[in-house]
Amino acid sequence: MTAEREIIAAIRARAPRFRGGVRIGIGDDCAVLQPKPGHELVVTTDMVLEGRHFRREWHSPESVGHRCMARGLSDIAAMGATPLAVFLSIAVPAALAEPGRGQGSGKPSWIDRFTDGLLALAMEHKVTLAGGDTAESPGGVLTDIVVLGEAPKGEALLRSGAKAGDVIYVTGALGGSAAELAALERSPRWRAEARGLAKAEDGMHPQLFPQPRIAAGLTLRRRGLAKAAIDVSDGLSTDLDHLCEESKLRAEVDAAALPVHPLAMQAEQRGWAPSALKLALNGGEDYELLFTARPETRVPKQIAGVPVQAIGRMLPANALKPRMMLRNADGSTEPLAAKGWEHFRKG
Ligand SMILES: [Mg+2]
């Protein structure tokens, strides 16, 4: 067997199959999917590049696998959809597929541990790995994940559903992921701990093991609470800007209302990052849900076990004014620019 076929066989042997949705999975030319009657498919694709989205010195293989899956699932969550199937294409340098590959007593390879992280999260959300591709990479690791989900026809949550007057909400806390990235960069102790980390509880390592808000997204759709939604992948300011653009509205955010992650506070105190507020506004990869609800809608303080916080409001479009404003604690306002930062971007 070629190394590629061995990798596929090893992944296939461990990939869980869940009932419904996937009629034919790994092993045929195509997967055969069957969404529930009256449902539509939602599809998202996400590429992850070593050195761009993660560093092998900082992120354990399990973390890379988990994050790869989390990115895809987070988009499904933002649509209020149920994940059905995932397709994974991965290119790794030959050395990362050796030794062991999970057969016999050898140490697990990098790709074994990557698969552990990816499948652990897939199992948590009962999504079937239904296909993919592997190749040897001449350089670093590259993965491309496709996740399919289903939602009742016409009911998927969209970025375009907001109206002027809607209240803006966010789940969980913001800035933790970027704060942990700063910690990985600045703190040798943090790096040492991260290296062996195979999993983490929700919120403890927001950069290494973010939690996609699938259950919260489903509740927002089923109960008709959210009118527009997006996941916070690039950073609140950038993702809110997308929502404003698609809904053709402006927005105002209350700085004092932002649920700043405790790790972002810590990063500011320790000098790992200049401002916790900036991390919450612009630090991406939180994978929380940003959504709007009509002002008369009673939105619970907690949804599917995740805190929910009102952080601002949608305003009518006005070409003469900035698209987003930030209201400071003293009542003053300033324009809010979309500054979600891209990790490892130079200059
Ligand atoms: Mg998204």
Side-chain angles (χ1 to χ4, degrees):
M1 268 208 286
T2 64
E4 261 178 51
R5 289 190 57 187
E6 281 181 48
I7 292 170
I8 293 168
I11 293 176
R12 182 183 183 180
R14 297 160 62 202
R17 277 290 296 277
F18 296 100
R19 237 185 287 182
V22 180
R23 201 159 69 72
I24 302 291
I26 300 175
D28 224 302
D29 292 299
C30 289
V32 183
L33 305 183
Q34 191 164 40
K36 279 196 218 102
H39 284 58
E40 290 174 316
L41 286 174
V42 300
V43 185
T44 177
T45 169
D46 251 306
M47 215 186 259
V48 172
L49 273 84
E50 180 177 350
R52 180 80 177 165
H53 300 100
F54 75 93
R55 290 190 178 182
R56 243 190 291 152
E57 318 89 84
W58 295 357
H59 296 79
S60 67
E62 291 88 352
S63 161
V64 179
H66 175 105
R67 295 172 83 247
C68 179
M69 188 77 232
R71 279 165 72 91
L73 287 176
S74 182
D75 281 331
I76 300 289
M79 306 298 287
T82 306
L84 279 187
V86 52
F87 298 83
L88 170 73
S89 294
I90 179 165
V92 293
L96 298 190
E98 301 162 3
R101 270 182 228 124
Q103 308 154 34
S105 57
K107 274 179 70 181
S109 65
W110 188 93
I111 199 165
D112 283 329
R113 292 179 56 194
F114 166 91
T115 308
D116 283 343
L118 183 122
L119 290 181
L121 190 59
M123 274 188 250
E124 235 176 88
H125 294 284
K126 297 188 166 50
V127 51
T128 301
L129 180 63
D133 196 12
T134 65
E136 188 183 325
S137 163
V141 175
L142 182 148
T143 70
D144 186 22
I145 196 163
V146 178
V147 186
L148 285 93
E150 64 181 7
K153 194 163 191 269
E155 287 182 26
L157 299 175
L158 306 179
R159 296 176 179 182
S160 55
K163 280 192 182 156
D166 278 6
V167 180
I168 306 168
Y169 295 85
V170 70
T171 62
L174 299 172
S177 185
E180 182 166 32
L181 200 63
L184 287 165
E185 191 175 6
R186 302 291 191 88
S187 162
R189 263 184 60 191
W190 204 288
R191 281 200 295 278
E193 193 201 331
R195 201 163 294 138
L197 215 55
K199 59 178 179 181
E201 274 177 46
D202 188 10
M204 297 302 285
H205 288 277
Q207 162 66 214
L208 299 170
F209 295 94
Q211 291 302 320
R213 301 304 187 193
I214 293 286
L218 283 171
T219 303
L220 290 175
R221 173 181 58 74
R222 286 178 181 152
R223 291 173 56 183
L225 298 169
K227 292 303 169 192
I230 185 170
D231 66 317
V232 183
S233 55
D234 295 336
L236 176 73
S237 60
T238 296
D239 292 314
L240 180 58
D241 191 54
H242 292 321
L243 201 144
C244 287
E245 189 176 357
E246 295 304 320
S247 288
K248 299 186 172 62
L249 295 172
R250 296 166 57 240
E252 183 178 275
V253 172
D254 293 324
L258 286 176
V260 180
H261 196 289
L263 206 52
M265 310 277 203
Q266 206 182 324
E268 182 184 301
Q269 282 156 12
R270 297 198 179 183
W272 293 337
S275 156
L277 179 64
K278 289 254 153 57
L279 289 175
L281 285 170
N282 304 324
E285 302 188 314
D286 289 309
Y287 300 114
E288 297 295 348
L289 297 181
L290 178 68
F291 64 95
T292 77
R294 302 288 183 250
E296 64 274 16
T297 302
R298 286 192 57 184
V299 175
K301 295 217 166 357
Q302 201 166 315
I303 294 177
V306 184
V308 174
Q309 175 73 41
I311 60 163
R313 63 209 63 80
M314 302 303 292
L315 306 172
N318 184 332
L320 301 175
K321 292 184 178 171
R323 185 139 70 184
M324 297 185 294
M325 297 297 291
L326 183 68
R327 181 172 292 275
N328 296 304
D330 63 7
S332 64
T333 58
E334 58 184 282
L336 173 63
K339 277 193 185 157
W341 49 283
E342 288 178 60
H343 298 209
F344 312 132
R345 183 171 55 188
K346 296 277 183 287

